[in-house]
Amino acid sequence: MNPELLARKTIRDLTPYQSARRLGGSGDIWLNANESPFVNEFKIQCDRLNRYSTCQPEALIQAYADYARVDKSQVLTSRGADEGIELLVRTFCEPKQDSILYCPPTYGMYSISAETFDVGVKQVPLTADWQLDLPSIAENLDGVKLVFVCSPNNPTGNLIRREDIISLLNMTQDKALVVMDEAYIDFCPEASTVDLLAQFPNLVILRTLSKAFALAGLRCGFTLANAVVIDLLLKVIAPYPVPVPVADIAVQALSPAGLARTKFQVLDLSANRAYLQAGLSMLPGVTVYDGYGNYLLVRFPDGDALFKALWDNGIILRRSPIENCIRISIGSRDECEKTLAFIRTQLEKIS
């Protein structure tokens, strides 16, 4: 018997999320996964590896609560923010009955997590300037339990207007949770919605150490919400979601020394982003959209041809679902310089 026939039809028909690693590639410059170019050192202790980890390590929860300026009862840690998305779907959505709503172009895992559990998916595209279409969202809230909003948005890089987020929170009170994906908020902390947690019990915020903290390989994320939501998620989460070494390293990253290092590295990446944005903006036919994370969305005269040329020459960037657009992660200054030089040369060839 073919084991595939035993799988749920939803899973057999599902197209998995095409992560940077799944897409592959080979080269010397990897600017496709919004990873940090910095390699930081940490101490790893091995004297507790024979014991299971604590479900929610006290030191880690307190460290992130202090960093985010919330109470520790409002924090849950998980295997990346991706697990946070999945936990929210499993906790709040009845399969084949409820739906999530999200606003493309944006992060693709919202829909895949919902589809995996037979939860419906409603799409309300962003407006032409990549902001929330509030009237259309209002018309599509029937049966919706979770509304996902990413800010800074991936892949566009822009911030969602704060007044629109507040309008959405008011619109969905007693109807749905608004899940703000703040994976890139450490690059623009002033734009966080964390201060709204006290006012809106239906607000949930997703965070991660993968981007600004240069710990993509650690797989450590956080969900911030009021204590009632956190307690519900704790009923669903796996018994030992955070390995002992992960908790130890994350606590070091969130220490005063770790936070100071991250702040310095964020400033460095912001300078590199400004350098790349300025250089690309000078090229004919190229549009660089303002970005507030560690990446830029760039429109080229022929994005597909340029992407292939870069790929074939070992510069691995990220295709965008937006026509002729490529998303470029911000790497080291050397990586940014080489990428800019190659793009300039390619465009000169076709001009």
Side-chain angles (χ1 to χ4, degrees):
M1 178 180 179
N2 184 356
E4 184 179 1
L5 299 177
L6 297 174
R8 291 160 44 214
K9 184 178 185 300
T10 300
I11 302 302
R12 294 200 303 269
D13 296 342
L14 186 69
T15 300
Y17 179 70
Q18 297 301 302
S19 67
R21 290 297 172 265
R22 276 193 170 184
L23 291 171
S26 60
D28 300 318
I29 298 177
W30 291 79
L31 300 179
N32 65 334
N34 294 347
E35 299 158 321
S36 172
F38 296 104
V39 178
N40 299 319
E41 294 187 0
F42 298 92
K43 295 179 181 179
I44 299 178
Q45 296 179 329
C46 299
D47 58 345
R48 291 181 293 125
L49 296 183
N50 59 316
R51 304 296 183 188
Y52 287 116
S53 62
T54 305
C55 177
Q56 295 291 290
E58 175 71 21
L60 176 56
I61 294 298
Q62 188 64 63
Y64 201 82
D66 291 343
Y67 172 68
R69 298 182 180 179
V70 298
D71 188 81
K72 65 180 182 180
S73 67
Q74 297 176 292
V75 180
L76 177 139
T77 186
S78 59
R79 291 166 288 197
D82 288 330
E83 186 179 24
I85 297 169
E86 181 178 300
L87 288 172
L88 287 163
V89 172
R90 290 168 59 199
T91 302
F92 291 97
C93 298
E94 291 284 355
K96 298 184 178 179
Q97 179 177 320
D98 295 328
S99 299
I100 70 159
L101 185 150
Y102 75 110
C103 305
T106 193
Y107 186 42
M109 276 305 297
Y110 310 138
S111 63
I112 290 177
S113 292
E115 291 169 25
T116 298
F117 295 105
D118 283 327
V119 169
V121 174
K122 294 187 179 183
Q123 296 185 26
V124 177
L126 296 173
T127 61
D129 58 347
W130 294 330
Q131 294 295 327
L132 297 178
D133 186 344
L134 292 173
S136 294
I137 290 175
E139 293 173 0
N140 284 277
L141 284 179
D142 287 348
V144 169
K145 289 287 189 68
L146 302 170
V147 179
F148 287 93
V149 178
C150 189
S151 182
N153 187 42
N154 176 17
T156 58
N158 66 293
L159 294 171
I160 302 300
R161 285 192 290 263
R162 181 180 174 89
E163 60 267 31
D164 289 351
I165 295 170
I166 293 173
S167 295
L168 179 62
L169 286 163
N170 281 312
M171 180 193 305
T172 54
Q173 288 220 56
D174 301 320
K175 296 180 181 178
L177 297 180
V178 173
V179 185
M180 292 300 304
D181 188 340
E182 293 189 349
Y184 301 95
I185 205 66
D186 306 287
F187 294 95
C188 50
E190 69 282 356
S192 176
T193 56
V194 72
D195 62 300
L196 297 176
L197 283 171
Q199 182 180 352
F200 293 99
N202 60 325
L203 172 61
V204 179
I205 299 171
L206 297 173
R207 296 281 191 86
T208 183
L209 299 185
S210 295
K211 313 302 180 183
F213 284 86
L215 287 171
L218 196 68
R219 307 309 302 129
C220 185
F222 300 90
T223 301
L224 310 180
N226 70 73
V228 174
V229 172
I230 298 298
D231 288 343
L232 288 167
L233 296 177
L234 284 170
K235 294 183 177 184
V236 179
I237 198 168
Y240 312 110
V242 185
V244 170
V246 169
D248 288 346
I249 291 172
V251 168
Q252 293 173 55
L254 291 163
S255 69
L259 292 174
R261 178 177 59 198
T262 295
K263 184 176 181 180
F264 174 81
Q265 292 175 354
V266 165
L267 290 172
D268 197 340
L269 290 173
S270 297
N272 290 348
R273 183 184 65 205
Y275 163 81
L276 191 59
Q277 182 170 6
L280 289 169
S281 297
M282 296 173 63
L283 303 178
V286 173
T287 301
V288 185
Y289 298 98
D290 288 336
Y292 292 85
N294 63 333
Y295 56 94
L296 288 171
L297 185 71
V298 188
R299 187 185 298 274
F300 296 96
D302 189 341
D304 289 341
L306 178 61
F307 178 89
K308 185 177 185 305
L310 287 155
W311 182 283
D312 291 343
N313 285 270
I315 301 176
I316 311 301
L317 307 184
R318 181 73 158 166
R319 288 184 190 272
S320 167
I322 304 168
E323 186 179 8
N324 283 323
C325 286
I326 298 174
R327 193 192 71 188
I328 307 176
S329 303
I330 306 302
S332 66
R333 180 56 65 96
D334 181 64
E335 290 172 325
C336 291
E337 289 176 351
K338 289 179 178 177
T339 300
L340 176 60
F342 184 89
I343 292 173
R344 182 185 293 116
T345 300
Q346 285 298 118
L347 295 182
E348 287 174 353
K349 288 180 181 178
I350 61 177
S351 62

